[in-house]
Amino acid sequence: MDRQNWLIGQKKKDLLRQLTPITRSARGRLLLQGHDHSPLHDFSSNDYLGLSLHPDLIAQSHAFLDLAGCGAGAARLMSGDLAMYHLLEKEVAELKGQEAALLFGSGYMANCGVIPALTGRNDVIFCDRLNHASIYDGCTLSRAKLVRFRHNDMDHLEKLLRTQRGRGEALIVVESLYSMDGDRCPLREVVRLKEKFNCLLMVDEAHATGVFGDNGGGVSEEDGVASRIDIAMGTFGKALGSYGAYVAGSQSMMDYLVNRARTFIYSTGLPPAVIGASLAAIRIVRRQPELRLDLFEKVAVFKSALRAGGLTGLGPSQIVPVVAGESGRAVKIARALRDQGVFVTAVRPPTVPQGTARLRFSVTRHLSKETVAQAAALLISALRLH
Ligand SMILES: *Cc1c(COP(=O)(O)O)cnc(C)c1O
């Protein structure tokens, strides 16, 4: 089939993805370019704590920009190893309760670099079915045998470990908070299994860093298992309001990755302005637990309004999935909400399984309690109408 026909086919199935240029008009609001409407409330952002606009991030970003210029100028193993990276890595390691940390260009690059550095042809990777695309791409690049277990199903994981563990390296990869379902991984149980079967464990905390744990260290901190995780990965692009990513673990693990992770070795270091923002963000999440409390008050208002409207299964986090069924219905409801001032994305296959297209609401501190309550009411009526 040629590309043009493929695109037409996708459109017919309500599966065509399209870019929509936006401008941010005010805190938590956006304008769609070319559409004639008032600003929409953004329920699609991962800027959970509202840090992207925090004055400390902006000031530290300016300061590092003035100090070191726009770009690193080289990969870190060439002449690009700015001292500020080491400062940030030290603070990340402390946040994550690990010995050391290493920065990557993005979360996508971290997953695509770390997994193939740790496993190869004779090894096996145990992967939760709902893991992020970047994890699956890392697995493919590794050429290791891929064994997928049912989402959060520890009995299934144990059974597969018993039969497929093999004699080579075995790596278990999970997310601590799943991005499309908003549910948490039973990390304590995963840690028990990884120790029982002598595997490495990698935990992607993209959506949990800054949001869970007394210091914002993520679900691994909250569950008290941080030090038993071999590779703790997370991004600066979500709750931390910046860009880039990190991996934390033992010093020898980081030394190994510096030598083996190709997405680290063959890529330019992050820009100074980005490092400034990330450094300020780490300090804020460690020192200001009140930001998390404020976020979860808003989450509670949103969920109780949805529950009052009869919805259930809303999960334990700031990510609230509302399953609509077929793609067409999800798209229609998202459009209706957009017409009423609420921006939410319809998440469709292949991102989620067939027949479970959903509206993925994420609550951020940018939104007021009134706004989240109103949006919940609009959603309840839209679900009745469509
Ligand atoms: C967003 C995300 C990533 C990718 O992180 P970026 O920094 O945006 O590249 C990786 N893993 C998970 C689970 C994510 O949600």
Side-chain angles (χ1 to χ4, degrees):
M1 205 189 334
D2 69 20
R3 286 185 291 276
Q4 201 58 38
N5 279 333
W6 185 85
L7 287 169
I8 292 165
Q10 290 298 102
K11 190 165 176 78
K12 278 198 191 126
K13 288 179 277 184
D14 284 311
L15 291 177
L16 188 66
R17 298 159 186 245
Q18 278 175 300
L19 293 169
T20 325
I22 62 121
T23 46
R24 298 209 180 276
S25 57
R27 192 168 276 279
R29 299 214 188 185
L30 54 84
L31 279 166
L32 301 177
Q33 197 175 295
H35 290 246
D36 182 23
H37 59 67
S38 41
L40 308 177
H41 296 290
D42 185 2
F43 280 83
S44 243
S45 165
N46 301 319
D47 187 12
Y48 303 119
L49 298 176
L51 292 186
S52 73
L53 294 173
H54 194 288
D56 289 7
L57 272 78
I58 293 170
Q60 192 68 54
S61 185
H62 275 302
F64 278 18
L65 175 64
D66 290 341
L67 186 75
C70 292
R76 288 179 66 182
L77 288 169
M78 305 301 280
S79 64
D81 189 22
L82 303 176
M84 60 177 66
Y85 298 145
H86 295 266
L87 189 62
L88 177 57
E89 284 168 347
K90 187 168 168 289
E91 300 226 4
V92 168
E94 284 169 19
L95 173 73
K96 297 299 297 179
Q98 297 276 8
E99 205 177 4
L102 187 67
L103 303 179
F104 280 79
S106 69
Y108 190 98
M109 287 173 70
N111 286 336
C112 284
V114 170
I115 296 172
L118 295 175
T119 55
R121 271 183 209 291
N122 301 319
D123 304 324
V124 50
I125 303 170
F126 296 87
C127 206
D128 187 289
R129 280 215 184 148
L130 292 194
N131 275 344
H132 191 260
S134 57
I135 295 174
Y136 277 104
D137 290 355
C139 292
T140 303
L141 284 169
S142 76
R143 300 183 176 92
K145 177 171 162 191
L146 178 63
V147 177
R148 303 189 319 155
F149 59 94
R150 285 193 290 272
H151 176 53
N152 275 348
D153 185 338
M154 294 298 110
D155 291 337
H156 194 216
L157 173 58
E158 180 154 16
K159 192 171 143 209
L160 292 170
L161 282 166
R162 203 170 287 134
T163 54
Q164 321 262 345
R165 162 70 181 79
R167 297 208 187 133
E169 190 74 82
L171 172 69
I172 301 173
V173 191
V174 294
E175 293 180 33
S176 65
L177 177 69
Y178 284 87
S179 51
M180 292 303 143
D181 290 53
D183 57 348
R184 284 167 57 150
C185 173
L187 268 188
R188 290 200 186 113
E189 190 57 17
V190 175
V191 166
R192 187 185 72 78
L193 290 174
K194 92 105 190 169
E195 287 169 356
K196 178 169 172 189
F197 289 92
N198 188 26
C199 304
L200 288 173
L201 172 61
M202 175 167 180
V203 178
D204 180 334
E205 298 228 59
H207 292 276
T209 309
V211 178
F212 289 94
D214 287 343
N215 296 293
V219 173
S220 59
E221 182 191 359
E222 198 165 292
D223 285 358
V225 294
S227 63
R228 293 157 76 190
I229 292 169
D230 301 285
I231 306 107
M233 175 270 171
T235 171
F236 293 105
K238 288 169 180 157
L240 296 173
S242 174
Y243 188 74
Y246 66 80
V247 164
S250 68
Q251 185 61 54
S252 74
M253 178 64 82
M254 299 307 117
D255 293 345
Y256 184 77
L257 293 175
V258 165
N259 285 274
R260 295 296 298 269
R262 295 169 63 85
T263 58
F264 173 85
I265 300 168
Y266 298 105
S267 192
T268 302
L270 281 159
V274 166
I275 300 302
S278 299
L279 190 60
I282 295 278
R283 290 175 177 167
I284 289 169
V285 302
R286 290 177 76 191
R287 288 173 201 161
Q288 298 184 31
E290 61 272 21
L291 299 187
R292 285 185 279 286
L293 297 179
D294 180 51
L295 170 64
F296 278 103
E297 275 180 25
K298 288 166 174 169
V299 171
V301 169
F302 186 59
K303 287 184 184 168
S304 66
L306 292 178
R307 261 185 235 111
L311 293 188
T312 53
L314 303 172
S317 76
Q318 77 282 11
I319 299 168
V320 185
V322 176
V323 174
E326 291 313 311
S327 295
R329 182 168 186 242
V331 170
K332 252 188 223 147
I333 294 171
R335 229 177 257 145
L337 289 174
R338 202 166 294 188
D339 291 339
Q340 294 170 290
V342 173
F343 186 88
V344 58
T345 36
V347 184
R348 293 162 276 172
T351 308
V352 294
Q354 207 68 38
T356 70
R358 66 199 63 182
L359 300 150
R360 177 189 178 278
F361 285 86
S362 56
V363 178
T364 71
R365 281 189 60 247
H366 291 303
L367 304 163
S368 70
K369 286 182 189 166
E370 295 71 41
T371 300
V372 298
Q374 268 166 11
L378 290 171
L379 170 63
I380 300 288
S381 352
L383 284 165
R384 289 196 183 118
L385 277 170
H386 294 281

